[in-house]
Amino acid sequence: MAQHSAVLDGVFEALADPTRRAVVRRLGRGPASVGELAGDAPMTLPSFMKHVRVLESNGLIRTAKSGRVRTCELNRERFALVEDWLAEQRRIWTDRTDRLEKFVTEEES
Amino acid sequence: MAQHSAVLDGVFEALADPTRRAVVRRLGRGPASVGELAGDAPMTLPSFMKHVRVLESNGLIRTAKSGRVRTCELNRERFALVEDWLAEQRRIWTDRTDRLEKFVTEEES
DNA sequence: TCGATACTTAGCCGCATGGCTCAGCATTCA
DNA sequence: TGAATGCTGAGCCATGCGGCTAAGTATCGA
Protein backbone atom coordinates (compact mmCIF):
# COMPACT_ATOMS: atom_id res chain seq x y z
CA MET A 1 0.00 0.00 0.00
CA ALA A 2 1.70 3.22 1.09
CA GLN A 3 1.82 5.19 -2.17
CA HIS A 4 3.01 8.12 -0.05
CA SER A 5 3.20 10.72 -2.75
CA ALA A 6 3.48 14.01 -0.93
CA VAL A 7 3.78 15.70 -4.31
CA LEU A 8 0.44 14.30 -5.42
CA ASP A 9 -1.05 15.41 -2.10
CA GLY A 10 0.03 18.94 -2.85
CA VAL A 11 -1.18 18.94 -6.43
CA PHE A 12 -4.66 17.73 -5.50
CA GLU A 13 -4.80 20.07 -2.54
CA ALA A 14 -3.83 23.02 -4.75
CA LEU A 15 -6.57 22.16 -7.23
CA ALA A 16 -9.21 21.78 -4.52
CA ASP A 17 -10.01 25.48 -4.49
CA PRO A 18 -12.07 27.39 -7.06
CA THR A 19 -9.92 30.51 -6.83
CA ARG A 20 -6.84 28.49 -7.65
CA ARG A 21 -8.55 26.53 -10.44
CA ALA A 22 -9.65 29.85 -11.90
CA VAL A 23 -6.03 30.97 -11.93
CA VAL A 24 -4.99 27.77 -13.66
CA ARG A 25 -7.74 28.23 -16.19
CA ARG A 26 -6.71 31.80 -16.89
CA LEU A 27 -3.03 30.93 -17.19
CA GLY A 28 -3.94 28.28 -19.71
CA ARG A 29 -4.54 31.15 -22.11
CA GLY A 30 -1.10 32.60 -21.42
CA PRO A 31 1.00 34.25 -18.71
CA ALA A 32 -0.40 37.03 -16.54
CA SER A 33 0.69 39.30 -13.71
CA VAL A 34 -0.53 38.82 -10.14
CA GLY A 35 -2.53 42.02 -10.48
CA GLU A 36 -4.34 40.80 -13.60
CA LEU A 37 -5.15 37.47 -12.00
CA ALA A 38 -6.30 39.05 -8.76
CA GLY A 39 -8.74 41.28 -10.59
CA ASP A 40 -11.13 38.37 -11.01
CA ALA A 41 -11.00 37.21 -7.40
CA PRO A 42 -13.36 38.49 -4.70
CA MET A 43 -10.73 39.03 -2.03
CA THR A 44 -7.86 41.28 -0.99
CA LEU A 45 -4.49 41.07 -2.67
CA PRO A 46 -2.60 39.55 0.29
CA SER A 47 -5.22 36.79 0.49
CA PHE A 48 -5.00 36.21 -3.22
CA MET A 49 -1.22 36.05 -3.06
CA LYS A 50 -1.47 33.13 -0.69
CA HIS A 51 -3.26 31.17 -3.40
CA VAL A 52 -0.59 32.08 -5.90
CA ARG A 53 2.07 30.81 -3.53
CA VAL A 54 0.18 27.58 -2.94
CA LEU A 55 0.09 26.99 -6.69
CA GLU A 56 3.77 27.83 -7.02
CA SER A 57 4.97 25.81 -4.05
CA ASN A 58 3.16 22.80 -5.43
CA GLY A 59 4.74 23.29 -8.81
CA LEU A 60 1.59 24.03 -10.80
CA ILE A 61 2.80 27.46 -11.84
CA ARG A 62 6.10 29.29 -12.10
CA THR A 63 6.46 32.97 -11.27
CA ALA A 64 9.15 35.56 -11.84
CA LYS A 65 9.44 39.16 -10.79
CA SER A 66 10.48 41.80 -13.23
CA GLY A 67 10.55 45.31 -11.85
CA ARG A 68 7.57 45.59 -9.54
CA VAL A 69 5.46 43.11 -11.50
CA ARG A 70 5.36 39.39 -10.81
CA THR A 71 4.38 37.36 -13.84
CA CYS A 72 2.89 33.88 -13.53
CA GLU A 73 2.74 31.07 -16.03
CA LEU A 74 1.49 27.51 -16.00
CA ASN A 75 3.82 24.58 -15.49
CA ARG A 76 1.93 22.14 -17.67
CA GLU A 77 4.14 19.14 -16.89
CA ARG A 78 2.81 19.06 -13.35
CA PHE A 79 -0.65 18.14 -14.53
CA ALA A 80 0.69 14.93 -15.98
CA LEU A 81 0.99 13.64 -12.41
CA VAL A 82 -2.76 13.76 -12.04
CA GLU A 83 -3.30 12.17 -15.42
CA ASP A 84 -0.84 9.42 -14.58
CA TRP A 85 -2.60 8.73 -11.31
CA LEU A 86 -5.97 8.53 -13.05
CA ALA A 87 -4.54 6.28 -15.75
CA GLU A 88 -3.06 3.96 -13.12
CA GLN A 89 -6.42 3.86 -11.38
CA ARG A 90 -8.20 2.97 -14.62
CA ARG A 91 -5.63 0.27 -15.27
CA ILE A 92 -6.50 -1.33 -11.93
CA TRP A 93 -10.20 -1.24 -12.75
CA THR A 94 -9.61 -2.67 -16.18
CA ASP A 95 -7.49 -5.52 -14.85
CA ARG A 96 -10.28 -6.43 -12.51
CA THR A 97 -12.90 -6.20 -15.20
CA ASP A 98 -10.78 -8.43 -17.43
CA ARG A 99 -10.49 -11.03 -14.72
CA LEU A 100 -14.22 -10.94 -14.10
CA GLU A 101 -14.90 -11.43 -17.79
CA LYS A 102 -12.44 -14.29 -17.92
CA PHE A 103 -14.14 -15.85 -14.91
CA VAL A 104 -17.57 -15.54 -16.46
CA THR A 105 -16.32 -16.96 -19.73
CA GLU A 106 -14.76 -19.95 -18.00
CA GLU A 107 -17.93 -20.59 -16.06
CA GLU A 108 -19.92 -20.60 -19.27
CA SER A 109 -17.60 -22.99 -21.10
CA MET B 1 -14.35 33.00 -14.85
CA ALA B 2 -16.15 31.80 -11.74
CA GLN B 3 -16.32 28.07 -12.44
CA HIS B 4 -17.54 27.61 -8.86
CA SER B 5 -17.76 23.86 -8.83
CA ALA B 6 -18.19 22.87 -5.22
CA VAL B 7 -18.38 19.26 -6.36
CA LEU B 8 -14.98 19.47 -8.00
CA ASP B 9 -13.65 21.12 -4.83
CA GLY B 10 -14.76 18.11 -2.86
CA VAL B 11 -13.39 15.55 -5.28
CA PHE B 12 -9.93 17.13 -5.38
CA GLU B 13 -9.97 17.62 -1.62
CA ALA B 14 -10.90 13.98 -1.09
CA LEU B 15 -8.04 12.82 -3.30
CA ALA B 16 -5.49 15.10 -1.61
CA ASP B 17 -4.75 12.58 1.12
CA PRO B 18 -2.62 9.43 0.81
CA THR B 19 -4.83 7.40 3.12
CA ARG B 20 -7.85 8.15 0.96
CA ARG B 21 -6.00 7.52 -2.29
CA ALA B 22 -4.90 4.18 -0.86
CA VAL B 23 -8.55 3.33 -0.20
CA VAL B 24 -9.47 4.27 -3.75
CA ARG B 25 -6.63 2.15 -5.06
CA ARG B 26 -7.68 -0.84 -2.98
CA LEU B 27 -11.34 -0.49 -3.96
CA GLY B 28 -10.29 -0.48 -7.59
CA ARG B 29 -9.66 -4.19 -7.14
CA GLY B 30 -13.15 -4.72 -5.76
CA PRO B 31 -15.39 -3.95 -2.77
CA ALA B 32 -14.10 -4.28 0.78
CA SER B 33 -15.32 -3.80 4.34
CA VAL B 34 -14.23 -0.89 6.48
CA GLY B 35 -12.26 -3.29 8.66
CA GLU B 36 -10.33 -4.69 5.70
CA LEU B 37 -9.53 -1.21 4.42
CA ALA B 38 -8.52 0.05 7.83
CA GLY B 39 -6.05 -2.79 8.28
CA ASP B 40 -3.61 -1.04 5.97
CA ALA B 41 -3.85 2.37 7.60
CA PRO B 42 -1.59 3.45 10.47
CA MET B 43 -4.33 5.00 12.60
CA THR B 44 -7.27 4.17 14.84
CA LEU B 45 -10.57 3.05 13.42
CA PRO B 46 -12.51 6.22 14.26
CA SER B 47 -9.86 8.30 12.51
CA PHE B 48 -9.97 6.01 9.52
CA MET B 49 -13.76 6.18 9.38
CA LYS B 50 -13.53 9.93 8.91
CA HIS B 51 -11.62 9.31 5.70
CA VAL B 52 -14.22 6.84 4.53
CA ARG B 53 -16.94 9.40 5.14
CA VAL B 54 -15.02 12.08 3.28
CA LEU B 55 -14.79 9.76 0.29
CA GLU B 56 -18.45 8.89 0.54
CA SER B 57 -19.75 12.41 1.06
CA ASN B 58 -17.84 13.52 -2.00
CA GLY B 59 -19.30 10.70 -4.04
CA LEU B 60 -16.09 8.82 -4.76
CA ILE B 61 -17.29 5.69 -3.01
CA ARG B 62 -20.62 4.17 -2.00
CA THR B 63 -21.08 2.23 1.23
CA ALA B 64 -23.79 0.01 2.61
CA LYS B 65 -24.17 -1.71 5.92
CA SER B 66 -25.18 -5.34 6.11
CA GLY B 67 -25.36 -6.76 9.59
CA ARG B 68 -22.46 -5.25 11.49
CA VAL B 69 -20.24 -4.92 8.42
CA ARG B 70 -20.10 -1.85 6.21
CA THR B 71 -18.97 -2.62 2.71
CA CYS B 72 -17.44 0.02 0.45
CA GLU B 73 -17.15 0.15 -3.30
CA LEU B 74 -15.85 2.63 -5.80
CA ASN B 75 -18.14 5.00 -7.64
CA ARG B 76 -16.12 5.14 -10.85
CA GLU B 77 -18.30 7.72 -12.56
CA ARG B 78 -17.10 10.37 -10.13
CA PHE B 79 -13.59 10.21 -11.47
CA ALA B 80 -14.80 11.39 -14.83
CA LEU B 81 -15.23 14.84 -13.32
CA VAL B 82 -11.48 15.08 -12.81
CA GLU B 83 -10.80 13.74 -16.27
CA ASP B 84 -13.24 16.22 -17.77
CA TRP B 85 -11.61 19.08 -15.95
CA LEU B 86 -8.18 18.02 -17.16
CA ALA B 87 -9.45 17.61 -20.69
CA GLU B 88 -10.99 21.07 -20.61
CA GLN B 89 -7.72 22.47 -19.35
CA ARG B 90 -5.80 20.77 -22.16
CA ARG B 91 -8.29 22.12 -24.65
CA ILE B 92 -7.55 25.65 -23.48
CA TRP B 93 -3.80 25.08 -23.84
CA THR B 94 -4.25 23.55 -27.26
CA ASP B 95 -6.37 26.43 -28.50
CA ARG B 96 -3.68 28.82 -27.45
CA THR B 97 -0.96 26.75 -29.06
CA ASP B 98 -2.98 26.58 -32.28
CA ARG B 99 -3.38 30.34 -32.33
CA LEU B 100 0.31 30.83 -31.75
CA GLU B 101 1.12 28.48 -34.60
CA LYS B 102 -1.35 30.23 -36.86
CA PHE B 103 0.23 33.56 -35.93
CA VAL B 104 3.71 32.29 -36.71
CA THR B 105 2.53 30.78 -39.99
CA GLU B 106 0.89 34.01 -41.07
CA GLU B 107 3.97 35.98 -40.20
CA GLU B 108 6.05 33.68 -42.36
CA SER B 109 3.76 33.78 -45.37
C1' DT C 1 -27.66 -15.66 26.61
C1' DC C 2 -23.20 -13.80 26.66
C1' DG C 3 -18.80 -12.60 24.82
C1' DA C 4 -16.50 -11.11 20.82
C1' DT C 5 -16.64 -8.40 16.71
C1' DA C 6 -17.40 -4.36 13.85
C1' DC C 7 -18.27 -0.34 13.69
C1' DT C 8 -20.18 4.36 15.63
C1' DT C 9 -20.66 8.52 18.45
C1' DA C 10 -18.93 12.19 21.17
C1' DG C 11 -15.65 15.14 22.25
C1' DC C 12 -10.82 16.93 22.81
C1' DC C 13 -6.48 18.79 20.80
C1' DG C 14 -2.93 20.92 17.80
C1' DC C 15 -2.09 22.65 13.44
C1' DA C 16 -3.13 24.37 8.80
C1' DT C 17 -5.99 27.12 5.79
C1' DG C 18 -8.09 31.12 4.14
C1' DG C 19 -9.87 35.29 5.02
C1' DC C 20 -8.67 40.11 6.95
C1' DT C 21 -5.92 44.68 8.14
C1' DC C 22 -2.13 47.59 8.35
C1' DA C 23 2.22 48.87 7.30
C1' DG C 24 6.42 48.52 4.27
C1' DC C 25 9.31 48.35 0.16
C1' DA C 26 10.77 48.67 -4.58
C1' DT C 27 9.81 50.49 -9.12
C1' DT C 28 7.88 53.60 -12.29
C1' DC C 29 6.34 57.93 -13.91
C1' DA C 30 5.48 62.94 -13.86
C1' DT D 1 12.25 64.07 -6.02
C1' DG D 2 7.81 62.69 -4.81
C1' DA D 3 3.46 60.33 -5.71
C1' DA D 4 1.36 56.33 -7.52
C1' DT D 5 1.64 51.45 -8.47
C1' DG D 6 2.34 46.59 -7.49
C1' DC D 7 3.26 43.67 -4.69
C1' DT D 8 5.04 41.82 0.11
C1' DG D 9 5.35 40.85 5.15
C1' DA D 10 3.56 40.50 9.75
C1' DG D 11 0.17 39.14 12.39
C1' DC D 12 -4.73 38.38 13.89
C1' DC D 13 -8.91 35.50 13.74
C1' DA D 14 -12.40 31.80 12.74
C1' DT D 15 -12.97 27.48 10.89
C1' DG D 16 -11.88 22.88 9.50
C1' DC D 17 -8.93 18.80 9.28
C1' DG D 18 -6.84 14.79 11.03
C1' DG D 19 -5.30 12.56 14.74
C1' DC D 20 -6.63 10.67 19.55
C1' DT D 21 -9.43 8.35 23.61
C1' DA D 22 -13.43 6.58 25.80
C1' DA D 23 -17.66 4.79 25.73
C1' DG D 24 -21.80 2.99 23.18
C1' DT D 25 -24.60 0.11 19.90
C1' DA D 26 -25.73 -3.69 17.13
C1' DT D 27 -24.81 -8.12 15.29
C1' DC D 28 -22.82 -12.75 15.19
C1' DG D 29 -21.30 -17.17 17.01
C1' DA D 30 -20.87 -20.54 20.59
Side-chain angles (χ1 to χ4, degrees), chain A residues 2-68:
Chain A
Q3 204 69 3
H4 293 318
S5 174
V7 178
L8 211 44
D9 287 6
V11 171
F12 278 121
E13 179 63 42
L15 294 176
D17 182 289
T19 298
R20 292 193 291 258
R21 284 200 307 278
V23 168
V24 166
R25 195 181 168 77
R26 167 63 190 80
L27 292 181
R29 295 197 290 276
S33 71
V34 169
E36 281 180 79
L37 295 169
D40 299 319
M43 66 186 66
T44 60
L45 194 55
S47 299
F48 183 79
M49 274 300 296
K50 285 192 185 178
H51 289 296
V52 172
R53 287 203 199 95
V54 169
L55 286 168
E56 185 173 26
S57 67
N58 288 299
L60 289 165
I61 69 173
R62 282 183 297 265
T63 81
K65 194 154 188 180
S66 165
R68 61 188 170 181

Side-chain angles (χ1 to χ4, degrees), chain B residues 29-104:
Chain B
R29 295 196 290 275
S33 70
V34 168
E36 281 181 80
L37 295 170
D40 299 320
M43 67 186 65
T44 61
L45 194 55
S47 299
F48 183 78
M49 276 300 296
K50 285 193 186 177
H51 289 296
V52 171
R53 287 205 199 91
V54 168
L55 286 168
E56 184 172 27
S57 67
N58 288 299
L60 289 166
I61 69 173
R62 282 183 298 265
T63 81
K65 194 155 186 177
S66 165
R68 62 188 168 177
V69 177
R70 179 172 296 276
T71 301
C72 310
E73 67 173 336
L74 222 48
N75 180 22
R76 300 183 185 185
E77 292 79 32
R78 209 58 159 175
F79 292 81
L81 284 179
V82 179
E83 287 177 336
D84 289 351
W85 183 84
L86 280 169
E88 160 79 356
Q89 202 53 42
R90 285 221 174 265
R91 194 187 57 68
I92 293 170
W93 303 346
T94 305
D95 282 359
R96 172 172 152 78
T97 306
D98 288 352
R99 280 202 308 279
L100 284 177
E101 276 175 7
K102 188 158 178 291
F103 174 76
V104 170

Side-chain angles (χ1 to χ4, degrees), chain B residues 15-41:
Chain B
L15 295 176
D17 181 288
T19 298
R20 292 193 292 258
R21 284 199 307 279
V23 168
V24 167
R25 193 181 169 78
R26 167 63 189 82
L27 291 180
R29 295 196 290 275
S33 70
V34 168
E36 281 181 80
L37 295 170
D40 299 320

